[in-house]
């Protein structure tokens, strides 16, 4: 039985956690602006090049592109947050043969 305790995560420190979450929010604000730009460009290109279609098509395209980009940004942002703060290193693997008990 493995009796060691897991090391503390750097996110347990309130100051480091506040900095990391502020950086995450800044990334998400930036990606929101990029997403709005991409959606506007996509809608403009569709309107200019495509045949006359229903307004529902444009709504679906805008929501699809926007949701996909924001979800991707949120998940990748969490990966960057976890890795950038050292939270990924604060795990203990009881099956790791390189570490001594």
């Amino acid at each position: 039985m493995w009796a060691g305790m897991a090391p503390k995560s750097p996110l347990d420190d309130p100051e480091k956690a506040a900095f990391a979450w502020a950086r995450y929010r800044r990334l998400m604000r930036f990606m929101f602006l990029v997403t709005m730009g991409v959606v506007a460009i996509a809608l403009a290109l569709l309107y200019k090049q495509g045949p006359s279609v229903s307004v529902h098509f444009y709504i679906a395209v805008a929501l699809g592109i926007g949701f996909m980009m924001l979800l991707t940004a949120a998940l990748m942002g969490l990966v960057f947050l976890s890795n950038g703060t050292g939270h990924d290193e604060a795990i203990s693997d009881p099956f790791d043969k390189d570490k001594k008990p």
Side-chain angles (χ1 to χ4, degrees), residues 53-62:
V53 293
S54 169
V55 69
H56 298 99
F57 175 76
Y58 294 108
I59 293 170
V61 167

Side-chain angles (χ1 to χ4, degrees), residues 62-86:
L63 289 175
I65 292 172
F67 181 73
M68 181 272 311
M69 286 187 66
L70 290 175
L71 180 63
T72 302
L75 293 174
M76 286 305 298
L78 289 173
V79 169
F80 296 148
L81 177 124
S82 178
N83 187 33
T85 59

Side-chain angles (χ1 to χ4, degrees), residues 32-70:
F32 178 77
L33 294 174
V34 169
T35 299
M36 292 299 109
V38 169
V39 167
I41 291 169
L43 291 178
L45 289 173
L46 283 173
Y47 182 75
K48 183 179 179 184
Q49 295 178 357
S52 179
V53 293
S54 169
V55 69
H56 298 99
F57 175 76
Y58 294 108
I59 293 170
V61 167
L63 289 175
I65 292 172
F67 181 73
M68 181 272 311
M69 286 187 66
L70 290 175

Side-chain angles (χ1 to χ4, degrees), residues 21-36 70 73:
W21 285 110
R23 189 174 66 172
Y24 178 76
R25 284 190 294 275
R26 189 171 54 244
L27 171 75
M28 288 304 297
R29 278 193 299 272
F30 173 74
M31 284 308 299
F32 178 77
L33 294 174
V34 169
T35 299
M36 292 299 109
L70 290 175

